[in-house]
Amino acid sequence: MAEERKAPATKSGVVKKLQATAAASAYQKQWFAGLLERVKNGEDFGYLNADVPMEILRAMDIPFVVNQWWAAICGAKRMTRKYFGLLRDAGYRDDLCSYCATAFAESLDPDDHNYDEAGKPMGPWGGLPDPTLAITRLTCDCQSKIFELFAMNHGASFYAMENTVPRKVPLNWFEMAPDHWEDLYDKDRLDTAVEELKELIRFLEMKTGKMFDINQLERVMNLINEQESWYKKIRDLIAECHPVPVTVVDTINAVMQAQWQRGTEWAVGHAKGLYEEIKALADKGEAAVPNEKYRLMWIGRGLWHDFAFYQRFEQKYGAVFMWSMYLAMGADAYIRNHVEDDPLRALAARYIGMEDFLHMPPWNNQWFLQQARQNDIDGVVYMIPENCMQAVEGSYFIIKTLEDAGIPVLSFHADPVDPRKWSAETMTGLVEEFIENRVMPVREAKEKEEK
Amino acid sequence: MIVKMGIRECALKSNAFRALYTVYTHRDDTARRWKSEGRKVIGELGCDVPDELIMAGGMLPVRVYADPEKPLVETDKYLEYAFDPVVRAQFEKIVDGTYAELFDALAISNSTDVVIRIFLYLREMHRVEPHKAIPPVEFIDWLFTRNRLHQVRNEHTIALFRKAVEGWAGREITDEEIRAAAKVCNDDRQALREMEKLRSGSEVRISGSEALVIIGSAFFMEREEHARLVREVTRDASEWPVLTGPRVFVTGSDQESTELYDLIEQTGAVVVGEDHNWGDRFFDRDFPMEYTPVRGIVDTYMLREFSSKKAFVSQRVEAIGRWVSRTNAEAVVFYTNRYEEAASWDYPKQKESLEGRGIRTACFAKMQYPVSANEGLSEQIAAFTSAVREVS
Ligand code: SF4
C-alpha cells in the first residue's frame, strides 16, 4: 500500500531548492478546493483505497480522494489522537490498522464539518465531504470491513474488488513490466482482472450516469506512462550520480503527492519539472551530502513522523539515504506500454501487480537486490512492518537475498504510523553501530578490490 | 483413558465417543497407518480445501494443527510477529520436517490473509532452500465475494486444483469418483447435523467440548467411519443427562482444542454452537449432488455461512443473527487471538445487533495462545456466565 505524508521541515539545504515539493503542496490544496466545489454542486464523489485502479474514475471524470492520501492529511493536521479516541468510544480497537482506518474514524467525528469559536474548520481541510462511492480491494482481511463501515457512516455505495494470487512469478518482473506485461502474469488472472474492471465500470456508469469512454482511458494511461517515465529518468540519474544531488527526504514527498494525481496533465508537468530540477543540480555537481561516503537504502514505508531521522548520519559518517521505494516504484512498477492494443488489459496488468511487487517474495526481494546494485548501495536499513498482514512481506527472504549478495542489512521491527512506538535515540544508535560495524568494512573491502 | 478435558463420564462410557476421542487426541495415527499401508495423505491448511477431491483421488485429507508445546525454532526465523500465534505454531510443523514425513503434499486454501502469506513463504522456501524437508505445496485461490464473476473464476480455480490432485494421485479422477466422495461427505455432514440437534435443540445433551471432539475428529480419519461413529454417539447421547446452564455461542478464532470450551463450561454455561472452522461451520452446507463436480464443490465452499475473515461487516452481522437463532443462544462470546484481528472490525456492529435482540455479549480480544496463557480468563468467563444467568 503506497501512502504519502508531509515531511516536517528538515535541515537539508537541497530540500529547500526543490520547487517541485512546494508546487505539489500548493496544487493539492487548489485541487481539493475544486473537488469540494464539484461535490457541493451535487456530483458523485469516490473514496478509494490506494490499490484501486483509480485510472477508471479519472477517465470517467469522477472526482475522488485516495484513502492513504487523506489519512496523511489527517495525520499532518494532528487529528490522529482524537480519531483514536473516537474509535475507542464507538467500541472499536484503537491499535489496529490505524492508518487505513483514519477516514472511518473521522466519519465518527460530529465536528468534522464544524468550525471552532475562532471560525477555524475543526475537520482537516474543513472535513471530508460525504462520498457517494467507497471502493476498495480485498488485498487484506480488514480493508473491506473498514471500508464498508466508512461507507455506512457516509451513506455511500460500497464496492469491493477481489485480489488473486500469482502462480507465475518471473524473477525479473521489473524488466518485463513495461513491454512484456502480458507474459508477466498468468493469463487467467489477467482475464479475470479485466472482467473485474468491466464490472467496476458498469457499477460506476449505473451509479453516476456517466459513460466510460475507452479513448479517455487510453489518454489517461498514456499520461501516466509519460509521468512515470520521468520518474525512471530521475531514479536512473540519481543512481548514476556520485555524490547524489538529492536524498529520500527530497524525493519522497515530491513524487508521492504527484502520484495521487497520476493520469493528469498537471502530474506529467510536475514530474518533468522535478526531473529538470534534479538534473540541473546534478549538472552543477551539487551534492546533497558533500562528503558522501556511504549510500544507504531504506526499505519500508516512509518515517512520516521523523523525516529528519534520514539525515542524522550525513555529517558524522557521510552516509546518505538515497533510495526509497517511492521513487523507484514509479520508475519500475507503473509503466505499461502498448496501451493502444487494449487499454483495459494494460490497466489490469498494472493494478494486479502493485501489492505483489512490494510485498510478495520473490518479486520484492529480487527487485530490492537489483535496485541495490543499480544504486551502488553500501547498506540497507529495513523497517519490518508490524501489525499489518498486508505488508508482511517475507523479511527473512529479503534479508537473505541482500546479505547473500554481500550487501549488509540492518533490520528492525516498527509500526511506521505510530510515533508512540518509535525511539529516535535507540534507532540512531542502531544505525550508527550498523554503519561502523557492517557498512564501513564492506565498503573498504569493496574499494580494495576495485583498486 | 485419562481425560483432562471437560468431557463428562456419560460421554466416555460411549464406545463411539471414546473412539472419536482417541482420534481427536491422537491426530496423526490414522495418517500414519495410511502411510504405512503405502497410501497417500494430503495435509490441509486453511478451512476451504475441498475434501471431496482429495478423497476422490483415494487419498486421506488431514487438517494441519498446531502444537502449543513445540518451541518455534524455525518459525521465529521465517515469520514476522504479525502472523497469528496458531498459524505460527502450525508453520513450525510444516517446516521442521514433522509434516514432510506425514504428508505427500500440502493443499492451502485462500481462507485468510495469513494463510496466503504462508503459501508464498513456502513457495519461496522451495525455491531458495530446496534441501528443506517441506511437502510440495498447492494453493487454492478462492474468491469469496459473492457474484457471478467470482463463481466462474472459482470454477476455474477448482478445475486447476483437480489437476493438482490428479498429479498427486498419479491418475485421472473421474466425475463418478468425485460424486461418490461428495456423497460420503454429505452423509457425514448429515450425521453431524443430527448430532447438532442434541447440542443446540431445546434439550441440550451434548456439551460444547464434547461436540468439538465429535466434529474435529473428522479432520483426522476416514469420513465413512466418522459418520458411522457420529450416528452411534448421537444414539448414545440421547440418553445423556440434559445440560441446563446458560446457552452460549462462540465466535472468532478457530478452537483447535477444547480448552476454551472447558473453561466456559466449567462455569456452568454450555456452548451450543460456534461459527469457527473447527466446529459447526464444517458441516454447514452440502454438496449439491445434481451439480457437475466442479460446480458442486464451488457451491459448497463458496456459499456456506460466512467466515469471520472473508466477509463484510454487514454479512457478519446477519450471519451471527442466523447462528444465534439456529442454536437458540442466550449469549455470545467473541474470542480472538492476538494478531488475528479481522473479526475485531465486525464486533461493535454485531454486538449492537445482538444486544438489540436481548443477547448478552462478552469480548475477549488480543488473546494469548494457548488459552491457558491468559491469566484471569476463567474468572472473567465466570463473571460473564453469572451475569447471563441472572438475566435469564
Ligand atoms: S491489515 Fe494492513 S492494509 Fe489491511 S487494513 Fe489493516 S493496516 Fe490496512
Side-chain angles (χ1 to χ4, degrees):
Chain A
M1 170 188 52
E3 73 232 20
E4 170 264 352
R5 289 218 170 174
K6 263 186 161 176
T10 79
K11 291 189 189 105
S12 163
V14 177
V15 76
K16 287 181 192 135
K17 284 187 207 151
L18 287 187
Q19 297 298 320
T21 310
S25 298
Y27 176 80
Q28 64 181 10
K29 285 216 173 87
Q30 181 198 329
W31 159 80
F32 190 73
L35 181 142
L36 285 181
E37 202 50 38
R38 291 180 69 177
V39 177
K40 216 166 77 192
N41 292 335
E43 282 197 51
D44 277 294
F45 162 45
Y47 193 80
L48 320 182
N49 203 51
D51 49 14
V52 168
M54 60 161 77
E55 290 83 350
I56 297 289
L57 284 93
R58 181 85 71 211
M60 293 177 77
D61 193 28
I62 301 168
F64 63 87
V65 157
V66 175
N67 189 31
Q68 283 68 16
W69 174 79
W70 184 248
I73 300 294
C74 296
K77 292 283 168 194
R78 304 196 180 285
M79 304 303 290
T80 318
R81 188 178 289 272
K82 180 182 188 187
Y83 290 169
F84 281 154
L86 289 168
L87 282 174
R88 257 194 320 273
D89 293 348
Y92 292 93
R93 297 257 303 269
D94 67 349
D95 58 345
L96 213 57
C97 306
S98 46
Y99 200 64
C100 291
T102 300
F104 165 55
E106 181 195 4
S107 72
L108 300 166
D109 185 356
D111 290 326
D112 200 37
H113 294 108
N114 292 342
Y115 293 84
D116 64 14
E117 283 164 5
K120 276 174 129 182
M122 294 171 82
W125 287 13
L128 186 73
D130 279 330
T132 53
L133 312 157
I135 310 174
T136 192
R137 279 184 65 216
L138 303 176
T139 44
C140 76
D141 290 346
C142 298
Q143 198 68 254
S144 65
K145 294 177 190 274
I146 297 169
F147 253 73
E148 195 199 18
L149 290 167
F150 167 88
M152 284 176 195
N153 284 358
H154 282 288
S157 298
F158 167 62
Y159 191 89
M161 299 179 75
E162 271 288 3
N163 185 43
T164 55
V165 174
R167 298 190 302 282
K168 179 173 170 182
V169 278
L171 299 184
N172 60 338
W173 67 264
F174 37 88
E175 287 164 10
M176 295 174 73
D179 292 303
H180 304 286
W181 44 264
E182 184 68 51
D183 301 326
L184 179 56
Y185 302 104
D186 309 288
K187 184 181 172 301
D188 57 294
R189 280 189 73 223
L190 258 187
D191 293 344
T192 303
V194 171
E195 293 306 312
E196 285 268 9
L197 287 175
K198 288 181 186 164
E199 302 231 332
L200 172 67
I201 289 167
R202 194 71 195 122
F203 165 77
L204 293 172
E205 285 181 332
M206 297 294 287
K207 278 279 163 202
T208 65
K210 291 185 175 182
M211 182 191 135
F212 169 80
D213 177 353
I214 194 80
N215 302 302
Q216 288 306 318
L217 180 65
E218 186 178 333
R219 187 175 156 271
V220 165
M221 293 293 286
N222 283 329
L223 286 171
I224 295 172
N225 281 345
E226 209 181 323
Q227 178 187 356
E228 309 296 332
S229 299
W230 288 114
Y231 297 145
K232 187 166 162 47
K233 287 178 82 146
I234 298 170
R235 191 273 316 271
D236 292 348
L237 171 70
I238 295 172
E240 274 168 23
C241 287
H242 291 71
V244 290
V246 287
T247 74
V248 294
V249 172
D250 308 306
T251 53
I252 291 180
N253 279 302
V255 170
M256 285 318 295
Q257 293 184 10
Q259 218 29 311
W260 301 126
Q261 301 293 336
R262 66 180 183 268
T264 62
E265 302 276 359
W266 176 84
V268 174
H270 183 268
K272 180 170 181 276
L274 181 65
Y275 170 75
E276 284 165 354
E277 247 189 303
I278 296 173
K279 177 81 167 58
L281 290 173
D283 289 347
K284 273 195 277 173
E286 189 130 0
V289 178
N291 63 334
E292 176 184 306
K293 281 204 190 83
Y294 308 106
R295 295 157 76 96
L296 301 179
M297 182 175 197
W298 174 261
I299 300 184
R301 294 178 184 176
L303 272 181
W304 310 116
H305 52 80
D306 191 6
F307 246 52
F309 170 81
Y310 294 120
Q311 299 182 308
R312 280 190 199 119
F313 316 95
E314 294 176 354
Q315 269 197 343
K316 188 166 174 187
Y317 298 103
V320 50
F321 276 100
M322 52 82 66
W323 190 97
S324 85
M325 65 174 176
Y326 294 98
L327 173 62
M329 277 291 280
D332 287 338
Y334 286 81
I335 299 169
R336 297 292 180 275
N337 296 322
H338 322 301
V339 168
E340 59 292 349
D341 295 347
D342 188 345
L344 268 187
R345 203 164 176 84
L347 173 58
R350 175 185 297 144
Y351 90 86
I352 63 170
M354 218 46 97
E355 290 301 326
D356 297 331
F357 299 149
L358 267 184
H359 298 307
M360 183 188 73
W363 277 356
N364 55 3
N365 61 52
Q366 293 304 300
W367 182 54
F368 292 142
L369 175 62
Q370 183 266 348
Q371 281 300 285
R373 285 180 171 148
Q374 183 189 357
N375 286 272
D376 195 14
I377 292 295
D378 298 302
V380 175
V381 179
Y382 175 21
M383 180 169 70
I384 301 174
E386 268 188 354
N387 218 3
C388 169
M389 264 327 284
Q390 192 196 58
V392 154
E393 57 199 359
S395 50
Y396 167 84
F397 304 106
I398 292 172
I399 295 164
K400 180 177 160 54
T401 304
L402 292 164
E403 290 276 4
D404 286 356
I407 301 162
V409 181
L410 166 69
S411 66
F412 64 97
H413 294 257
D415 180 344
V417 177
D418 194 343
R420 294 173 300 185
K421 295 178 189 159
W422 172 257
S423 159
E425 213 175 295
T426 316
M427 272 315 303
T428 305
L430 276 176
V431 175
E432 289 193 348
E433 211 180 290
F434 172 66
I435 293 171
E436 286 170 22
N437 298 335
R438 303 279 328 271
V439 176
M440 287 176 167
V442 169
R443 178 83 235 175
E444 261 170 44
K446 216 153 104 184
E447 276 166 7
K448 256 188 214 156
E449 214 175 89
E450 278 163 13
K451 274 179 201 159
Chain B
M1 181 180 289
I2 302 167
V3 180
K4 289 195 198 122
M5 300 181 293
I7 308 290
R8 291 168 301 159
E9 277 300 313
C10 54
L12 291 170
K13 280 190 188 141
S14 156
N15 289 337
F17 185 86
R18 276 210 312 280
L20 292 174
Y21 181 77
T22 304
V23 173
Y24 189 76
T25 49
H26 296 78
R27 297 179 177 182
D28 300 341
D29 285 5
T30 311
R32 284 214 184 89
R33 175 164 52 77
W34 273 58
K35 293 290 282 183
S36 70
E37 291 165 2
R39 293 190 285 171
K40 289 191 173 164
V41 175
I42 305 299
E44 297 181 347
L45 182 67
C47 55
D48 299 292
V49 179
D51 296 328
E52 290 86 344
L53 273 177
I54 293 168
M55 288 161 61
M59 297 173 281
L60 180 74
V62 168
R63 193 71 69 90
V64 169
Y65 67 95
D67 176 355
E69 309 279 311
K70 216 174 217 283
L72 302 182
V73 181
E74 294 287 315
T75 301
D76 286 342
K77 192 166 135 191
Y78 292 101
L79 299 193
E80 289 91 347
Y81 295 122
F83 283 82
D84 89 60
V86 178
V87 171
R88 286 174 66 81
Q90 291 171 337
F91 182 81
E92 184 70 25
K93 291 171 68 185
I94 297 170
V95 300
D96 77 351
T98 307
Y99 279 139
E101 207 183 291
L102 202 63
F103 297 161
D104 292 283
L106 176 65
I108 303 182
S109 66
N110 178 6
S111 307
T112 171
D113 257 1
V114 67
V115 166
I116 302 171
R117 298 302 188 277
I118 295 290
F119 163 67
L120 300 177
Y121 283 32
L122 292 174
R123 179 170 72 183
E124 185 68 347
M125 287 172 80
H126 273 297
R127 187 180 78 84
V128 297
E129 295 175 356
H131 54 276
K132 267 197 107 67
I134 301 171
V137 183
E138 189 66 32
F139 186 65
I140 308 169
D141 197 9
W142 286 109
L143 301 180
F144 289 105
T145 40
R146 297 183 179 185
N147 62 42
R148 181 202 60 85
L149 175 62
H150 299 154
Q151 187 184 37
V152 172
R153 168 80 191 171
N154 284 335
E155 286 170 13
H156 172 75
T157 299
I158 291 307
L160 286 177
F161 182 60
R162 179 178 180 168
K163 286 222 155 56
V165 178
E166 288 176 341
W168 298 332
R171 63 175 175 81
E172 222 172 84
I173 297 172
T174 64
D175 286 1
E176 286 64 40
E177 285 173 314
I178 299 173
R179 275 207 193 85
K183 204 158 162 262
V184 170
C185 291
N186 278 357
D187 186 53
D188 190 35
R189 292 182 186 113
Q190 183 53 33
L192 287 166
R193 281 195 283 268
E194 284 157 24
M195 179 279 295
E196 190 196 14
K197 288 182 196 148
L198 292 180
R199 184 197 180 191
S200 56
S202 52
E203 280 188 346
V204 178
R205 290 179 189 272
I206 295 176
S207 73
S209 291
E210 288 154 3
L212 280 192
V213 171
I214 296 168
I215 301 163
S217 48
F219 307 150
F220 307 103
M221 68 189 295
E222 293 94 343
R223 223 43 74 78
E224 295 91 335
E225 177 64 356
H226 185 256
R228 191 187 68 73
L229 290 169
V230 172
R231 289 214 162 87
E232 206 178 310
V233 170
T234 306
R235 269 195 303 277
D236 294 346
S238 63
E239 310 280 310
W240 296 352
V242 172
L243 291 157
T244 53
R247 300 168 68 107
V248 171
F249 183 86
V250 172
T251 180
S253 298
D254 286 353
Q255 298 301 320
E256 292 194 353
S257 82
T258 63
E259 220 185 339
L260 175 65
Y261 287 24
D262 296 344
L263 277 190
I264 296 173
E265 295 187 328
Q266 272 158 21
T267 68
V270 54
V271 181
V272 289
E274 59 279 313
D275 60 6
H276 62 73
N277 296 299
W278 283 63
D280 287 351
R281 193 166 179 267
F282 170 64
F283 54 91
D284 178 58
R285 192 177 177 89
D286 274 346
F287 178 107
M289 295 302 290
E290 66 278 21
Y291 292 6
T292 60
V294 165
R295 286 206 179 144
I297 287 169
V298 169
D299 183 276
T300 310
Y301 290 86
M302 182 183 180
L303 300 183
R304 63 188 168 140
E305 193 53 284
F306 294 104
S307 83
S308 61
K309 311 289 172 30
K310 297 284 178 189
F312 307 136
V313 175
S314 55
Q315 293 170 328
R316 291 269 295 147
V317 169
E318 284 170 18
I320 198 112
R322 283 190 291 270
W323 280 115
V324 162
S325 302
R326 171 169 153 179
T327 56
N328 282 311
E330 298 161 79
V332 174
V333 166
F334 293 80
Y335 188 97
T336 45
N337 287 326
R338 193 160 173 246
Y339 292 127
E340 201 209 336
E341 340 243 33
S344 301
W345 290 109
D346 303 325
Y347 165 67
K349 290 271 180 218
Q350 287 182 314
K351 175 179 152 75
E352 190 184 302
S353 132
L354 290 168
E355 290 183 352
R357 293 173 56 177
I359 311 277
R360 302 279 299 222
T361 63
C363 180
F364 302 97
K366 294 208 277 190
M367 302 311 285
Q368 302 292 329
Y369 172 78
V371 172
S372 57
N374 296 286
E375 265 178 48
L377 178 61
S378 53
E379 289 78 5
Q380 289 170 41
I381 290 175
F384 177 63
T385 303
S386 304
V388 177
R389 195 175 267 129
E390 263 169 42
V391 173
S392 54

